[in-house]
């Protein structure tokens, strides 16, 4: 099916967040003609526009994440950090630079001790520069500031898509498509079944699922930076009349807002409220309204915490321009990863030969009254989680892949999603080179990548 038509591109990637970066960098040197569509004017998704400038501690087997981290470390724009012990009564954790290697961040939380966690923190602008440099290739067309508006589907195959740059609509065609958007945007346009929010126990028989779904959705965060230099950022007029008194009384003044901080390479500190807004509340508003409410909460929150001696001398410097949205729509794909799969050690899983990415990050639904569940082992993400049921020439490589609500809260991390994008790109290379369907791609060849605690499968 991949040789009998004329196409402008071999692969079109929609979305240049973590999954799109993993896929695009993998394809950049392949010789396959690739187009990358991104609605933002910037490359990197939430890693850049939302300030999620950290790879959380978690198992990773990806070459792209390692490559980017190495380039950032060489230039002093990426550093390994360790968590500091929390004080009694603290509602936050702090991370500081340490002498650890990149590999030391490829551990489950607490593997280095009962409280220590290793993360890889980076400068958001430096991350974007590295992404752009790695995609500076003759076979990659980067279309930033382009919004996906339509998809043409016939006989289970995407025949083309339409994108709009604010002035002109463009129709593009490719053999294969990768949906790397956080909300499965292309999959939805193609009529794929999607879901969002908490499922009841009857859906997947997950141990932690409630008997009846409450419709809970993972929380949303507006990350901000504080600095020891410059002037204090003042609230903009747009949020002057935003009423956050109920939130202040119910959460802030009761000291009920968890948050974490990261030291950035330039000396600034990044602060991540966990969360700034519950997901269900976010989806009850327009995006603009939600951002304004979150911004008002950030200014109030900073006034509340800056008296702590550990923030002495710091001033509010920047609110990131986009919210960090932890949960959006997910496809119901050829295989749905559930909490039971997350609880299964990768080596014990009957799907071990089909894994393309791994994680051991805790299940964490942020602000949904469900305590985080830490894992004692890595689990695998099967290739079939990226395969929609309805379309034959597309993979979904993002947090919008086929996960349950609980499983998604562990799989959504940037580095895990980047690994999925990289694997999806390898699948495209195999399908095109062998003239086969994406459903016929062979997963195999166990190998070890940088550490001995986990065996991995690689698309051959």
């Amino acid at each position: 099916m991949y040789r009998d038509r004329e196409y402008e591109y071999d692969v079109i990637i929609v979305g240049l967040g973590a999954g799109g970066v993993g896929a695009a960098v993998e394809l950049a040197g392949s010789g396959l003609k690739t187009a990358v569509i991104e609605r933002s004017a910037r490359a990197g998704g939430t890693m850049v526009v939302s300030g999620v400038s950290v790879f959380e501690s978690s198992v990773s087997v990806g070459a792209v994440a390692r490559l980017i981290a190495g380039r950032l470390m060489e230039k002093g724009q990426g550093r390994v950090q360790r968590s500091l012990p929390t004080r009694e009564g603290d509602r936050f954790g702090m991370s500081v630079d340490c002498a650890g290697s990149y590999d030391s961040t490829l551990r489950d939380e607490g593997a280095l001790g009962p409280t220590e966690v290793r993360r890889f923190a980076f400068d958001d602008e430096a991350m974007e520069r590295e992404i752009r440099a790695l995609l500076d290739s003759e076979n990659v067309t980067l279309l930033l500031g382009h919004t996906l508006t339509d998809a043409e589907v016939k006989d289970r195959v995407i025949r083309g898509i339409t994108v709009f740059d604010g002035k002109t609509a463009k129709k593009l065609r490719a053999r294969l498509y990768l949906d790397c958007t956080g909300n499965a945007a292309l999959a939805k346009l193609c009529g794929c079944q999607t879901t969002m929010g908490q499922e009841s126990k009857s859906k997947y028989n997950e141990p932690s699922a409630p008997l009846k779904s409450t419709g809970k959705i993972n929380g949303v965060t507006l990350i901000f930076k504080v600095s020891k230099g410059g002037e204090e950022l003042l609230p903009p007029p747009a949020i002057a009349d935003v009423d956050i008194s109920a939130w202040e009384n119910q959460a802030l003044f009761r000291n009920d807002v968890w948050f974490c901080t990261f030291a950035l390479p330039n000396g600034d500190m990044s602060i991540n409220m966990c969360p700034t807004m519950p997901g269900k509340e976010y989806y009850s508003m327009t995006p603009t309204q939600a951002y304004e409410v979150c911004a008002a909460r950030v200014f109030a929150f900073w006034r509340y915490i800056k008296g702590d001696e550990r923030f002495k001398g710091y001033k509010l410097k920047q609110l990131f321009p986009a919210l960090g949205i932890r949960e959006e729509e997910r496809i119901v794909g050829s295989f749905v990863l559930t909490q039971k799969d997350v609880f299964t050690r990768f080596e014990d899983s009957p799907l071990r030969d089909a894994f393309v990415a791994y994680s051991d990050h805790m299940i964490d639904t942020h602000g949904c009254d469900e305590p985080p569940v830490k894992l004692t082992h890595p689990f695998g993400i099967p290739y079939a989680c990226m395969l929609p049921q309805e379309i034959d020439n597309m993979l979904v490589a993002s947090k919008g892949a086929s996960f349950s609500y609980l499983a998604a809260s562990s799989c959504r991390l940037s580095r895990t999603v980047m690994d999925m994008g990289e694997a999806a790109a390898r699948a495209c290379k195999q399908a095109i080179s062998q003239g086969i369907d994406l459903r016929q791609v062979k997963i195999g060849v166990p190998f070890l990548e940088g550490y001995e605690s986990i065996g991995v499968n690689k698309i051959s």
Side-chain angles (χ1 to χ4, degrees):
M1 64 178 291
Y2 302 129
R3 295 178 175 175
D4 58 356
R5 288 171 58 96
E6 290 295 323
Y7 299 94
E8 298 165 272
Y9 298 99
D10 294 300
V11 182
I12 290 178
I13 300 168
V14 182
L16 193 54
V21 169
V25 173
E26 174 70 16
L27 289 172
S30 69
L32 294 180
K33 194 172 182 182
T34 304
V36 184
I37 314 301
E38 168 55 45
R39 65 183 178 182
S40 169
R42 301 185 65 187
T46 59
M47 296 184 295
V48 172
V49 298
S50 303
V52 187
S53 51
V54 62
F55 289 158
E56 289 283 357
S57 60
S58 181
V59 167
S60 168
V61 300
V64 173
R66 180 180 290 274
L67 170 65
I68 293 175
R71 290 169 65 109
L72 289 168
M73 292 177 78
E74 286 177 2
K75 297 171 183 176
Q77 298 298 322
R79 298 177 181 177
V80 175
Q81 298 191 339
R82 63 178 179 86
S83 58
L84 294 176
T86 57
R87 301 177 184 179
E88 185 176 354
D90 273 353
R91 300 290 285 179
F92 68 97
M94 300 188 77
S95 293
V96 296
D97 292 347
C98 69
S101 66
Y102 175 79
D103 282 352
S104 71
T105 71
L106 307 180
R107 311 279 185 92
D108 63 309
E109 295 212 9
L112 300 174
T115 59
E116 183 166 307
V117 175
R118 297 282 177 90
R119 300 177 173 93
F120 180 76
F122 50 84
D123 177 80
D124 54 283
E125 293 181 356
M127 169 62 80
E128 182 178 16
R129 287 194 295 270
E130 294 305 322
I131 292 169
R132 287 176 177 268
L134 288 167
L135 298 184
D136 185 12
S137 168
E138 289 184 355
N139 64 295
V140 175
T141 300
L142 194 58
L143 297 175
L144 300 178
H146 285 68
T147 301
L148 174 70
T149 60
D150 195 16
E152 178 188 354
V153 178
K154 183 178 180 181
D155 299 328
R156 297 177 56 88
V157 172
I158 302 173
R159 304 293 182 180
I161 64 171
T162 302
V163 298
F164 183 64
D165 65 0
K167 295 181 180 180
T168 306
K170 303 174 185 177
K171 292 188 176 181
L172 308 173
R173 295 194 305 163
R175 304 181 186 200
L176 301 176
Y177 296 80
L178 297 182
D179 185 345
C180 297
T181 63
N183 62 349
L186 178 56
K188 286 187 294 184
L189 277 177
C190 294
C192 296
Q193 181 183 356
T194 60
T195 186
M196 184 172 66
Q198 183 189 64
E199 298 99 358
S200 64
K201 187 176 287 289
S202 62
K203 185 69 173 180
Y204 299 118
N205 196 29
E206 295 175 297
S208 300
L211 291 176
K212 184 178 180 180
S213 172
T214 61
K216 291 177 179 176
I217 298 172
N218 208 324
V220 171
T221 291
L222 176 53
I223 296 176
F224 60 100
K225 286 182 184 179
V226 297
S227 173
K228 285 194 172 182
E231 298 294 324
E232 179 90 8
L233 182 67
L234 299 177
I239 68 171
D241 297 326
V242 175
D243 183 4
I244 59 168
S245 58
W247 173 80
E248 288 178 317
N249 292 327
Q250 294 171 10
L252 183 60
F253 298 150
R254 292 171 53 190
N255 196 30
D256 198 28
V257 179
W258 285 91
F259 66 102
C260 54
T261 73
F262 306 99
L264 298 174
N266 67 351
D268 291 350
M269 187 183 298
S270 172
I271 300 181
N272 184 337
M273 300 163 65
C274 300
T276 314
M277 176 181 285
K280 199 170 182 179
E281 182 183 5
Y282 168 78
Y283 283 105
S284 71
M285 307 177 184
T286 67
T288 298
Q289 290 171 333
Y291 187 91
E292 290 176 352
V293 171
C294 285
R297 291 178 182 180
V298 163
F299 279 98
F301 182 68
W302 174 241
R303 290 193 298 269
Y304 185 73
I305 68 170
K306 69 179 182 179
D308 188 293
E309 62 181 19
R310 287 164 287 186
F311 301 117
K312 185 177 180 179
Y314 281 94
K315 298 177 182 179
L316 182 57
K317 177 181 179 180
Q318 175 191 0
L319 276 62
F320 277 89
L323 298 176
I325 304 171
R326 293 183 176 88
E327 182 176 0
E328 300 179 78
E329 289 177 89
R330 309 179 297 274
I331 66 167
V332 181
S334 298
F335 178 83
V336 179
L337 192 81
T338 70
Q339 187 185 34
K340 292 187 291 184
D341 301 302
V342 171
F343 283 170
T344 301
R345 298 183 69 91
F346 79 93
E347 63 264 41
D348 298 330
S349 172
L351 300 171
R352 179 181 176 180
D353 291 340
F355 291 157
V356 293
Y358 295 80
S359 179
D360 55 359
H361 187 70
M362 61 185 173
I363 293 175
D364 190 358
T365 56
H366 295 87
C368 291
D369 301 322
E370 298 155 344
V373 179
K374 290 193 175 184
L375 305 180
T376 60
H377 57 268
F379 66 91
I381 300 173
Y383 177 65
C385 286
M386 300 193 294
L387 282 167
Q389 298 183 61
E390 302 88 350
I391 300 294
D392 292 332
N393 65 334
M394 176 179 69
L395 296 172
V396 178
S398 68
K399 69 177 188 285
S402 188
F403 307 128
S404 73
Y405 162 77
L406 290 170
S409 74
S410 178
C411 298
R412 61 178 175 77
L413 299 182
S414 298
R415 188 158 48 181
T416 304
V417 170
M418 194 175 290
D419 290 356
M420 291 174 61
E422 183 179 337
R426 293 197 195 116
C428 290
K429 291 195 293 186
Q430 184 187 125
I432 291 173
S433 67
Q434 298 181 15
I436 60 175
D437 189 275
L438 285 171
R439 298 180 189 280
Q440 298 173 303
V441 167
K442 304 295 183 184
I443 313 296
V445 190
F447 72 108
L448 297 176
E449 181 71 38
Y451 48 90
E452 299 177 353
S453 63
I454 182 170
V456 183
N457 301 292
K458 187 174 184 179
I459 297 176
S460 55

